[in-house]
Amino acid sequence: MIHLSVQNLAKSYGQQAVFSNLSFETGPCVLGVAGPNGSGKSTLLKCLAGILKPSGGIINWREKEQPISGGKLK
């Protein structure tokens, strides 16, 4: 089972903050992301996938308590 833990995640483009202090934890489930256009949904998913580097915070993917792909992205 794969688990995801996000702690104080932030992403900014220059002075423009897309999101900040985003924290959540989830286990094996279907997770949806909803919000209006321009609210940062795609940016969040790209950070979670490792395509974009967050401005701050920790993303921890793990399976059976073992980190996946290095585990933490800062």
Side-chain angles (χ1 to χ4, degrees):
M1 292 187 282
I2 296 176
H3 296 270
L4 170 62
S5 174
V6 174
Q7 299 171 345
N8 299 316
L9 194 65
K11 179 62 180 168
S12 298
Y13 293 105
Q15 295 291 329
Q16 181 65 41
V18 179
F19 50 81
S20 62
N21 297 320
L22 179 63
S23 297
F24 64 91
E25 192 166 329
T26 183
C29 64
V30 175
L31 180 65
V33 179
N37 291 345
S39 63
K41 299 177 303 291
S42 295
T43 300
L44 170 62
L45 295 174
K46 288 176 184 177
C47 287
L48 295 177
I51 296 169
L52 286 177
K53 184 175 180 178
S55 303
I58 297 171
I59 300 170
N60 187 357
W61 289 96
R62 62 191 188 283
E63 182 175 20
K64 297 180 183 175
E65 301 307 317
Q66 297 297 317
I68 299 173
S69 294
K72 294 182 181 178
L73 302 174
K74 290 188 179 182

